[in-house]
Amino acid sequence: MQQTSAADRSRRLSWNTADIRPDQQFAYYREAICQAFMNLTPEPTAAPGFLARVDTLGLGDGAVNRVNFPEHIVRRSAADIAASSRRCYYLNLKLAGRCRIQQAGREISLSSGQVGIFDSGERFALLHDRGPALQVASFWVPAEALDERLPSPPDFAPARVSDDPFVGHLIAETAQVLNASALRASDAENARLFDVLLDLVALSLSRGSREGAAEAASLADATWLALRRAVDRRLREPGLGVAAIAATMRISERYVHKLFERAGTTFASYVIDRRLDGAARDLKDPTMFGRAIGDIAFDWGFSDLSHFTRRFRHRFNCTPGDWRRGSTTLVRKSQ
């Protein structure tokens, strides 16, 4: 079987069985996952037809394969391994349904939001169930890309790395961000974030101490990314403070301040600026012209209108009313 080459992985490829006759859909799916991943042996289901979609997108030397499918079983046999020219790891972010991974006498299960890793160099079985519609983002990791990050040759059974008590939530967050943003980001940005993800996985598999891990530059980058996302999700909460965010992130308040300082700002400044940006967008939104300025300010977490007006003027060199009037004037002129 012709497998996808390293050059092919640098671009996007897609397979969709909806375009194939029902009696040929499963065979087409089998061909697709063998090209996107490596030689695999999926087992056909009793139901007629097999609606599935496979998309692969290059991430530096690796790739992310997004797969939507119904319940079924996938195996990697000794013959599949012998026919493969390269070894890799599969780092799977489960998006919908459940998957049980059986390898080397061990079984782990992945539910939505969890991340697990297993080795293409050993036989395995993937039992995809709890459908009917299942989805996974599987990161194709060249073996050497992870091995070189580890202090000794790896010898591990499948592991649910998102369970790591310190970096597990960062692994899951980084995998989710990379999966969600890969199509919009540049090749360089994707490659860099993929490297961060691999650094985190390597830390989880081999970290000696929490203190040493916390000082790793890649860990700090991933924590900063997850920290901003955590703050952005809660921008509209009045009284949002460092303590609440630190508890959500499971890091210390001191480390939160340290990461904002590292980025050249403070927690308070970041929150104010993001809230002002959100309010400014709403003030220019024609669908929001009927809403009072005060209501928009309160929606974005400001509890004092005069404070909002003062900070808005300082940021945009005009009052919220002038900002809005400029937008309404443009709307009227275009009508």
Side-chain angles (χ1 to χ4, degrees):
M1 165 136 349
Q2 181 66 38
Q3 295 178 16
T4 301
S5 68
D8 290 333
R9 292 184 189 279
S10 66
R11 65 177 187 270
R12 183 180 181 183
L13 299 171
S14 296
W15 300 264
N16 193 339
T17 67
D19 303 325
I20 306 300
R21 282 173 32 190
D23 62 329
Q24 298 178 356
Q25 286 177 347
F26 190 82
Y28 183 77
Y29 167 74
R30 180 173 57 234
E31 178 78 17
I33 63 171
C34 287
Q35 289 192 43
F37 290 86
M38 276 186 172
N39 287 350
L40 297 170
T41 305
E43 296 183 357
T45 60
F50 194 85
L51 291 176
R53 180 183 176 95
V54 181
D55 294 286
T56 185
L57 179 69
L59 302 172
D61 292 332
V64 58
N65 298 309
R66 300 191 185 98
V67 192
N68 296 268
F69 45 77
E71 293 184 359
H72 70 300
I73 297 173
V74 177
R75 301 187 188 277
R76 183 157 165 86
S77 65
D80 291 330
I81 295 170
S84 298
S85 58
R86 294 186 69 185
R87 176 172 155 262
C88 74
Y89 296 103
Y90 299 118
L91 185 67
N92 282 13
L93 166 64
K94 195 63 179 171
L95 299 173
R98 183 187 70 169
C99 178
R100 287 179 290 146
I101 303 170
Q102 298 173 342
Q103 186 177 52
R106 183 181 178 190
E107 176 176 304
I108 64 170
S109 66
L110 298 180
S111 297
S112 180
Q114 294 180 322
V115 181
I117 188 168
F118 51 105
D119 190 347
S120 78
E122 299 288 338
R123 290 179 298 170
F124 61 72
L126 308 179
L127 287 69
H128 297 290
D129 57 15
R130 293 192 182 171
L134 294 91
Q135 186 177 15
V136 65
S138 181
F139 295 92
W140 188 93
V141 181
E144 61 274 13
L146 182 60
D147 291 351
E148 68 185 11
R149 288 170 160 85
L150 298 171
S152 58
D155 181 22
F156 58 85
R160 194 164 56 221
V161 288
S162 55
D163 282 356
D164 187 288
F166 183 57
V167 298
H169 65 295
L170 298 178
I171 291 172
E173 183 79 19
T174 305
Q176 289 166 353
V177 171
L178 185 52
N179 175 56
S181 64
L183 285 175
R184 302 189 305 271
S186 68
D187 290 346
E189 290 169 334
N190 282 336
R192 182 173 183 273
L193 192 54
F194 186 57
D195 282 342
V196 170
L197 178 60
L198 297 190
D199 287 342
L200 288 169
V201 171
L203 283 169
S204 176
L205 296 174
S206 63
R207 66 184 175 87
S209 71
R210 290 171 61 144
E211 233 180 281
E215 292 303 317
S218 60
L219 179 58
D221 289 340
T223 307
W224 171 238
L225 177 69
L227 178 60
R228 283 182 294 156
R229 283 171 56 85
V231 173
D232 289 347
R233 282 194 294 263
R234 302 177 63 175
L235 277 175
R236 296 175 183 267
E237 295 181 17
L240 178 64
V242 171
I245 294 297
T248 297
M249 292 287 298
R250 289 178 285 174
I251 58 179
S252 70
E253 294 180 40
R254 181 176 176 275
Y255 195 47
V256 172
H257 288 300
K258 180 179 179 180
L259 289 172
F260 277 101
E261 181 182 349
R262 182 174 176 260
T265 186
T266 66
F267 175 84
S269 295
Y270 180 86
V271 170
I272 289 290
D273 286 345
R274 295 290 289 168
R275 285 174 170 170
L276 289 170
D277 288 341
R281 286 194 303 271
D282 284 354
L283 287 169
K284 283 186 176 293
D285 184 348
T287 65
M288 303 283 280
F289 285 167
R291 297 209 66 200
I293 291 175
D295 288 343
I296 291 175
F298 296 145
D299 281 349
W300 281 99
F302 291 95
S303 56
D304 183 276
L305 184 56
S306 61
H307 175 252
F308 166 71
T309 302
R310 186 166 58 252
R311 295 303 297 256
F312 194 97
R313 185 197 295 271
H314 183 264
R315 178 74 185 277
F316 298 104
N317 295 316
C318 67
T319 67
D322 290 339
W323 180 270
R324 168 176 271 182
R325 277 189 290 274
S327 299
T328 56
T329 300
L330 287 173
V331 169
R332 292 193 190 100
K333 285 181 178 179
S334 65
Q335 291 175 343

